Amino acid sequence: MYQHRDWQGVLLDFPANKVVCVGSNYDKHMKEMGSQSTEEPVIFIKPETALCDLCQPVFIPQELGSVHHEIELAVLIGSTLKNANEERVSQAIAGFAVALDLTLRDLQREFKQSGQPWEKSKAFDRSCPISGFIPVNAFGDPQNAQLSLTVNGALRQNGNTSDMRTPIIPLISYMSRFFTLRPGDIILTGTPEGVGPLQSGDILGVSLNEHVLTTRVI
């Protein structure tokens, strides 16, 4: 069973709750996906059953079609937020991590074409592998964080959070208008361009600034 940990693997005193995500938060990713621009952020939720440890092998349900990687900066919520202003949001962030928003791309494409919700393509079990968290005071500027992903040594994704369409603090404030955010909730902040398919046996290098993890796909 998944439990939140810090980067060194020490358990954190936060429950594993929902994951609130934003789609299309980087312009170049929108272009590669052919997504339409929207006035407000596109929000969806993964349940806590989507969470799993990125230090462990990444499981992909190949029987459900193509599974794509989407590397993202993850934010750990440390106190309750509802209709929160940006100052309150800043005070409520407990730490940052790197996560993969695994996506069943074939299913998502079908759902988009038919106007159906995305949940089955985004919220399936173990669809959110996530690293340990780095405390706020040890992280630096989250709005200037470098994310990169290699697959079998080849660079697939490389982006900076400074390119977000909706920055982290306003994004979380916006989310709190619709969903009460509780301690232990995770925010995923969108993915840069370069998303692509994963195969069993792939070796992944996942980087957040100078912090690097290596894992494999099963």
Side-chain angles (χ1 to χ4, degrees):
M1 181 178 295
Y2 172 83
Q3 293 178 280
H4 295 318
R5 298 176 183 270
D6 70 11
W7 193 268
Q8 285 71 41
V10 178
L11 287 175
L12 299 177
D13 190 21
F14 291 104
N17 289 329
K18 64 183 178 291
V19 184
V20 186
C21 314
V22 60
S24 303
N25 204 25
Y26 289 77
D27 284 329
K28 290 182 180 179
H29 175 57
M30 290 181 65
K31 290 179 182 178
E32 74 177 349
M33 297 304 298
S35 300
Q36 297 293 320
S37 180
T38 59
E39 291 186 8
E40 296 189 0
V42 176
I43 306 299
F44 60 96
I45 286 180
K46 294 175 182 271
E48 56 89 14
T49 49
L51 288 164
C52 58
D53 188 348
L54 186 53
C55 293
Q56 301 296 318
V58 173
F59 173 81
I60 57 172
Q62 295 181 338
E63 73 279 4
L64 297 178
S66 180
V67 182
H68 279 208
H69 57 76
E70 298 188 6
I71 190 173
E72 310 206 8
L73 179 70
V75 183
L76 176 63
I77 299 299
S79 57
T80 300
L81 296 172
K82 178 62 181 175
N83 291 319
N85 61 28
E86 294 186 14
E87 180 180 4
R88 181 73 187 89
V89 170
S90 296
Q91 296 169 349
I93 293 175
F96 299 95
V98 62
L100 298 180
D101 170 16
L102 298 182
T103 303
L104 293 167
R105 193 67 76 198
D106 294 338
L107 285 181
Q108 187 191 40
R109 189 175 297 113
E110 292 176 13
F111 297 150
K112 284 182 175 181
Q113 291 173 350
S114 60
Q116 296 183 50
W118 296 0
E119 271 76 7
K120 285 185 285 186
S121 67
K122 285 283 193 179
F124 56 95
D125 288 351
R126 294 189 278 184
S127 62
C128 187
I130 190 167
S131 73
F133 287 89
I134 302 164
V136 172
N137 59 9
F139 188 76
D141 182 5
Q143 210 59 72
N144 187 28
Q146 195 70 24
L147 298 164
S148 67
L149 175 73
T150 63
V151 179
N152 301 323
L155 185 64
R156 289 272 189 93
Q157 291 189 265
N158 188 38
N160 192 285
T161 58
S162 62
D163 293 327
M164 289 180 182
R165 291 165 54 85
T166 304
I168 297 162
I169 301 300
L171 175 65
I172 297 173
S173 175
Y174 175 83
M175 289 172 168
S176 77
R177 290 168 49 190
F178 302 93
F179 312 109
T180 298
L181 302 175
R182 296 194 170 103
D185 283 353
I186 302 299
I187 308 299
L188 293 192
T189 56
T191 193
E193 76 276 12
V195 302
L198 294 172
Q199 303 293 333
S200 179
D202 284 344
I203 302 299
L204 308 182
V206 185
S207 301
L208 172 59
N209 293 334
E210 73 278 12
H211 304 280
V212 182
L213 291 174
T214 301
T215 189
R216 63 187 178 90
V217 179
I218 59 173

